[in-house]
Amino acid sequence: MSELPALPVTFRPGRTRAVLLTAGAAIFVVITAVALLLEKLGPGERLSFIFTGALMFGVLAMLARVKVVADESGVTVVNITTRRRLDWAEILQVNLRPGDPWVFLNLSDGTSLPALGIQPGIAKQRAIADARTLRALAEARSIREPEDHED
């Protein structure tokens, strides 16, 4: 990769997001229409139909919110229900191996953090390019300080 993108940059699975939000909206509209068109339903039953449609849309919207935001000071990983802020120096490695469902970040504390914002699902080549870009950014911005060993 010859040139890094200007920061901040956001990585998210655009096609997957569009599919999830479209499906969620369609499900909500269909369930709401069914609730309003069925004459034998009482007000409570109609409301429970509409609530169920809204709940299904909400779950799909949470799945669609995943992203990875890289800026000058680090990376914010937004997964389905969590958000984690990392300094560049905390990211040791960015991995997207064949068969992985999304990128994994190997961290300086010895753990691995899934970054669902880069996933090869529908757009495999885009995910590979995004993973390479994030890897290059991490390598360019990480400050690896020598460990002090005082005994």
Side-chain angles (χ1 to χ4, degrees):
M1 171 163 281
S2 59
E3 195 171 314
L4 295 176
L7 296 178
V9 63
T10 300
F11 304 101
R12 64 174 13 132
R15 289 182 188 162
T16 302
R17 178 179 164 86
V19 167
L20 288 170
L21 292 175
T22 301
I27 289 168
F28 176 73
V29 167
V30 168
I31 290 177
T32 300
V34 167
L36 298 175
L37 293 173
L38 289 176
E39 296 174 6
K40 293 187 178 186
L41 293 181
E45 292 168 317
R46 288 182 202 275
L47 229 110
S48 69
F49 267 69
I50 294 169
F51 177 75
T52 300
L55 186 62
M56 293 174 89
F57 176 78
V59 168
L60 293 175
M62 285 181 69
L63 291 171
R65 69 174 252 185
V66 299
K67 64 183 175 180
V68 177
V69 180
D71 60 31
E72 293 294 334
S73 61
V75 174
T76 302
V77 177
V78 179
N79 287 333
I80 296 168
T81 59
T82 61
R83 174 186 300 260
R84 183 161 175 197
R85 178 74 185 159
L86 301 166
D87 291 330
W88 285 112
E90 292 179 78
I91 302 171
L92 300 180
Q93 194 173 28
V94 177
N95 291 318
L96 180 60
R97 296 176 301 257
D100 280 351
W102 40 71
V103 162
F104 289 91
L105 305 177
N106 291 340
L107 306 179
S108 59
D109 65 2
T111 62
S112 181
L113 176 67
L116 279 64
I118 303 174
Q119 51 181 270
I122 296 174
K124 184 177 181 180
Q125 294 307 315
R126 171 68 187 259
I128 292 169
D130 287 350
R132 286 180 178 151
T133 301
L134 184 59
R135 182 180 299 128
L137 285 167
E139 289 171 357
R141 300 203 175 265
S142 289
I143 300 171
R144 309 228 193 273
E145 297 178 10
E147 293 181 18
D148 295 327
H149 295 291
E150 295 180 21
D151 293 349

